Amino acid sequence: MPLHYADPHKKHSRFYKAQEKFSRSRPGQFFAHHLWPRIDPWLYRATGGRYPSIFGGMSTAPLMTTGAKSGQPREHQITYFHDGPDPIVTASNYGGPKHPQWYYNIKAHPECELGGEKFLATEVTDPDDYARIYGLAEQVYAGWSDYRLKTEPIGRHIPVFRLKPR
């Protein structure tokens, strides 16, 4: 199943905006932390990769990494978007104080798969490119603005990765 192209410049539907508003709320964040990580991978596989785009939602796909310490395969369902031909993923961890576990895996082993396609992950370190790409992320999902506001006071910089086909 090919990776769905997630255009950050696409005009959002009312349904998308309603979903975004809910996901930024306190109950929405609860669902995002506790329920969706269990349901999204199953729905993605059951719909042949068409979920959540068939419902007009944010694009998610399984990110397969190699464990930084264990060397074992690890799967994480994450939100992504495209910058030109390259998928972009952010290690926001819902604006929490620590990076998500997959961040450490991808730093140790940059070879990964997103939606069944093989990529090499490179962290975006150029400040101008980072600002541009993070601005695109905020266009895709306004919650990434919230995450940045949560992490700035504690000094955590949200890493952004560009995935290049391999």
Side-chain angles (χ1 to χ4, degrees):
M1 62 189 119
L3 190 63
H4 171 74
Y5 187 83
D7 183 0
H9 303 290
K10 180 181 175 186
K11 185 171 169 47
H12 299 307
S13 67
R14 286 188 206 162
F15 178 75
Y16 186 98
K17 290 178 182 177
Q19 181 184 7
E20 181 181 62
K21 185 176 181 177
F22 173 73
S23 66
R24 293 175 72 188
S25 71
R26 184 176 220 127
Q29 285 294 296
F30 177 82
F31 278 96
H33 286 262
H34 302 289
L35 184 64
W36 294 126
R38 290 172 174 79
I39 294 174
D40 274 359
W42 180 84
L43 284 172
Y44 185 87
R45 284 190 291 278
T47 62
R50 293 185 311 271
Y51 169 84
S53 62
I54 57 175
F55 297 117
M58 291 163 257
S59 294
T60 68
L63 175 69
M64 295 297 295
T65 61
T66 302
K69 294 179 185 177
S70 70
Q72 298 298 309
R74 303 288 184 223
E75 182 177 349
H76 314 271
Q77 191 81 9
I78 63 168
T79 303
Y80 70 94
F81 63 95
H82 281 81
D83 180 34
D86 302 327
I88 304 293
V89 295
T90 63
S92 61
N93 202 21
Y94 309 105
K98 297 179 181 175
H99 297 313
Q101 188 57 47
W102 66 261
Y103 165 83
Y104 302 102
N105 296 348
I106 218 165
K107 288 293 281 186
H109 305 283
E111 302 84 15
C112 62
E113 290 183 18
L114 182 66
E117 296 180 24
K118 295 180 183 218
F119 293 99
L120 184 65
T122 56
E123 189 169 357
V124 177
T125 56
D126 176 64
D128 294 334
D129 198 27
Y130 178 88
R132 182 185 66 78
I133 291 174
Y134 206 88
L136 289 176
E138 292 171 335
Q139 282 180 235
V140 171
Y141 172 57
W144 275 315
S145 300
D146 302 340
Y147 301 157
R148 185 169 22 190
L149 291 173
K150 285 181 180 178
T151 59
E152 281 178 350
I154 59 173
R156 181 165 98 77
H157 175 77
I158 297 175
V160 173
F161 290 90
R162 177 179 298 280
L163 304 182
K164 291 283 196 182
R166 58 176 173 110

